[in-house]
Amino acid sequence: MRFIQEFRSSELAKGLISRIHQKSKTQARFMEFCGGHTVTIFRYGIRQVLPKTLEMLSGPGCPVCVTANVDLDKAIALAQIPDVIITTFGDMLKVPGSHSSLQEVNASGADIRMVYSTMDALNLAEENPTKSVVFIGIGFETTAPIIAASILQAEERRIRNYYILSMHKLCPPVIRAILESGEVKLHGLICPGHVSAIIGSHPWEFIARDYGISCVISGFEPIDVLQCVDMLVAQIESGQSKVEIAYRRGVHPEGNQQALKLMKQVFEPCPAQWRGIGEVPDSSLKLKKEYQHFDAELAFDIDPGPTYEPVGCICGDILRGVKTPLDCSLFGKDCTPQYPIGPCMVSSEGSCSAYYLYGEGFEG
Amino acid sequence: MCLAIPALIKLIEDKEAEAEIGGITRRISLWLTPEAKVGDYVLVHTGYAINILDEEEAKETLRLLLEIAELAEEQS
Ligand code: SF4
C-alpha cells in the first residue's frame, strides 16, 4: 500500500463512472470547495466523464485566491521594512497587490525567501539573530495548526525574532456566508479532505441540516473524487442530506485532536476580509494575548497605503461560484499564468489557472 | 495549498522523524501526530505530519470500489 497509485486505477474509475451514470437521474449542482479538488477534477478530465445531470462548480477553497488585497498589501509593506526577512510559501510571490507584488519588491531589494515549511523559517530566524523573520501565515485549517506549532517551537527554542502575519481563513464560516447570500443554489458539496483531516466531519453538519445540502468529504486522487460524486448522487437520489466521509483513510469524524488543541492554545477566532465575499465573522484566527509578541502587525509599523482592485478581474465572482473564468474578458488574453492579473490565475489551485492549463477555456 | 502527501516513517527522534516521500527521505515534524510510529504512513503538509493514514480503512475502501467495478463489468 502506497496510498496513491491504488487511487488512480482506471478499472476502479470505470466502475464508478458507469454507476454514477446509472444512478444519476435528478439534475444537481455540486461545488468542490477546495482548490486541490479543482486541480484533480481538471487534470483528470472528471467533468467530461460525468453525466449531463451533474453540474460542477468551483468554490472559494484557494487560500491565495481569497486573500484580500488589504492583507496582501500588509505583507508587501512589511517586506519593505529594513532588516525584515519575509518567509512565505511559493504561491504568494506573484500575486499582485494594490501597488506591487512580493516578487516585485524582492527584485528591488526586499529580502523574501520562499520556504517549504515553517521549520525553515524558524531555522532562518535562529541563524539571523539581528534580523526579524516574518512568516506570512496564509492557509486554512490544514495549515493553521502548523503555524501554531511553529510558535510553540519558537518559544521552546527561545527564538525571539520570529513573527507571523496571521491571514488564516476558516472554511465552514465562509461556506455559511456563501449559502446565506443565496446567490448560488447547491445540491451537494465536495468537502475539503485535508481541512477535514484536522477539523473532522462534525463542523460540516450544519450545511446538511440547515441548508439541505448533501456533503461528502473527499480525498484528492481521481478515484477519491469519483467516489465522492457517487456518494453525493446516492444521497440526492434517495432524498437525503447528511455528512459522509469518502476519504476514510485520511479523515476521522473527530479530526486531529492534538492539532485542534495547539490551534486553540495559540489562536482565537476573529473576522476576516475575503476577496469577493467581504467580511465574514469568525472566519480567521488571531494570536491570543499570551502569544501576541509573535504578531508582526503589532511588532511593526505597517503602512500598506490605499487598496485598489485589479480592473476587469472577476476573481471575486468566481470565488463565490456565480461566474466562471470564461466570463472574464481578460481570460487567456491579457491574463495568463505567465502574466497574471488576478490571484485565481496566479495560484496553481486557482480556477482561472486550472481552466487555462487544462484546456477547458478554449472549447467554449 | 492544503496539499498533503503520504510519507512512510522510517525513524523517529523526539518530535521529528525521517520519512520517505516518493523515494526521497525528508525530515518531518511530528508535533501534530505525537502517536505516530515507525512504519506508519502519515499525511505530510508543509513538513508536518497532519494525520496518520489508516491502512485498514484504505483496504476496505478499495475492496468496496472493486466490487462496484466488477458489478459494472458484469452489467456491460
Ligand atoms: S482571468 Fe485573470 S483577470 Fe480574469 S478573473 Fe481570472 S485572474 Fe482575474
Side-chain angles (χ1 to χ4, degrees):
Chain A
M1 177 82 55
R2 287 283 180 277
F3 295 97
I4 297 179
Q5 251 6 76
E6 301 91 332
F7 295 90
R8 290 183 185 168
S9 141
S10 58
E11 187 196 351
L12 298 185
K14 274 188 215 139
L16 281 164
I17 293 166
S18 83
R19 193 159 92 146
I20 293 167
H21 276 262
Q22 269 172 24
K23 276 198 310 198
S24 175
K25 308 268 185 270
T26 317
Q27 202 67 33
R29 185 183 288 141
F30 299 161
M31 175 185 268
E32 86 269 6
F33 174 86
C34 174
H37 286 142
T38 306
V39 171
T40 304
I41 288 168
F42 277 83
R43 181 177 289 156
Y44 292 95
I46 290 178
R47 284 188 178 192
Q48 286 85 334
V49 299
L50 294 179
K52 295 268 176 287
T53 37
L54 302 179
E55 186 192 341
M56 303 291 284
L57 242 146
S58 300
C62 157
V64 174
C65 306
V66 294
T67 299
N69 269 8
V70 278
D71 290 330
L72 196 56
D73 293 344
K74 278 184 206 162
I76 296 167
L78 252 173
Q80 290 165 290
I81 296 175
D83 293 324
V84 165
I85 303 176
I86 296 285
T87 51
T88 178
F89 298 136
D91 267 4
M92 280 301 276
L93 292 177
K94 277 172 99 178
V95 189
S98 301
H99 315 278
S100 187
S101 68
L102 283 171
Q103 196 174 44
E104 275 165 30
V105 294
N106 188 28
S108 47
D111 193 347
I112 297 171
R113 320 266 181 109
M114 202 179 101
V115 291
Y116 165 68
S117 170
T118 50
M119 292 194 277
D120 306 328
L122 284 171
N123 291 340
L124 199 66
E126 213 163 40
E127 290 155 14
N128 293 277
T130 60
K131 307 264 185 177
S132 302
V133 172
V134 180
F135 186 82
I136 307 295
I138 72 154
F140 293 139
E141 290 91 334
T142 321
T143 316
I146 289 171
I147 313 296
S150 83
I151 283 172
L152 298 172
Q153 281 166 286
E155 286 232 301
E156 207 174 85
R157 287 161 63 178
R158 296 178 196 285
I159 301 174
R160 307 252 181 259
N161 56 332
Y162 175 71
Y163 303 89
I164 66 152
L165 182 64
S166 180
M167 315 201 287
H168 297 98
K169 301 271 190 300
L170 304 178
C171 300
V174 79
I175 288 282
R176 185 190 288 277
I178 286 181
L179 295 175
E180 272 303 306
S181 81
E183 277 185 319
V184 276
K185 178 106 191 69
L186 295 182
H187 306 95
L189 186 70
I190 298 179
C191 297
H194 294 143
V195 165
S196 304
I198 303 293
I199 67 175
S201 60
H202 304 308
W204 305 109
E205 276 160 8
F206 77 93
I207 302 173
R209 189 186 58 232
D210 302 348
Y211 300 93
I213 295 173
S214 309
C215 294
V216 178
I217 297 167
S218 172
F220 293 88
E221 298 302 337
I223 296 298
D224 290 320
V225 173
L226 286 171
Q227 186 196 2
C228 171
V229 170
D230 178 60
M231 289 167 77
L232 284 173
V233 168
Q235 283 197 40
I236 302 282
E237 296 305 330
S238 62
Q240 286 179 309
S241 56
K242 55 186 178 184
V243 180
E244 293 180 293
I245 306 173
Y247 192 26
R248 298 180 72 100
R249 65 188 182 282
V251 175
H252 307 287
E254 307 303 324
N256 178 336
Q257 291 298 319
Q258 167 74 1
L260 289 171
K261 192 180 107 194
L262 297 189
M263 215 160 102
K264 283 203 186 101
Q265 183 180 340
V266 172
F267 291 118
E268 60 192 3
C270 67
Q273 286 292 332
W274 293 65
R275 182 184 300 272
I277 296 163
E279 186 172 298
V280 180
D282 292 338
S283 68
S284 183
L285 294 168
K286 63 173 187 189
L287 287 160
K288 279 190 171 165
K289 216 168 176 178
E290 307 89 278
Y291 298 99
Q292 276 179 353
H293 47 289
F294 290 102
D295 190 339
E297 276 195 75
L298 298 176
F300 300 95
D301 200 6
I302 310 175
D303 177 17
T307 313
Y308 302 106
E309 297 298 331
V311 181
C313 172
I314 57 162
C315 277
D317 296 337
I318 294 171
L319 292 165
R320 295 200 308 281
V322 296
K323 286 195 177 156
T324 79
L326 303 183
D327 298 317
C328 176
S329 60
L330 305 175
F331 175 81
K333 299 182 196 102
D334 297 296
C335 182
T336 61
Q338 211 175 358
Y339 300 103
I341 290 177
C344 301
M345 189 62 94
V346 178
S347 167
S348 54
E349 295 184 351
S351 294
C352 297
S353 136
Y355 268 72
Y356 188 89
L357 292 178
Y358 300 107
E360 183 147 334
F362 299 108
E363 288 167 14
Chain B
M1 240 332 277
C2 296
L3 188 73
I5 41 177
L8 173 64
I9 298 190
K10 295 283 199 186
L11 186 111
I12 296 181
E13 286 168 340
D14 194 17
K15 286 178 183 168
E16 289 191 4
E18 264 178 26
E20 194 189 300
I21 307 179
I24 298 163
T25 305
R26 282 202 93 118
R27 260 201 116 60
I28 61 166
S29 165
L30 300 181
W31 268 70
L32 307 181
T33 55
E35 71 282 24
K37 303 182 301 296
V38 170
D40 281 345
Y41 270 91
V42 286
L43 276 172
V44 176
H45 171 61
T46 68
Y48 286 69
I50 60 163
N51 237 351
I52 302 171
L53 281 158
D54 190 326
E55 192 149 357
E56 288 312 309
E57 287 286 4
K59 282 186 188 149
E60 179 59 21
T61 303
L62 288 169
R63 196 187 57 74
L64 246 156
L65 295 177
L66 199 63
E67 261 179 40
I68 295 174
E70 281 165 359
L71 209 70
E73 180 78 0
E74 277 168 32
Q75 284 169 356
S76 66

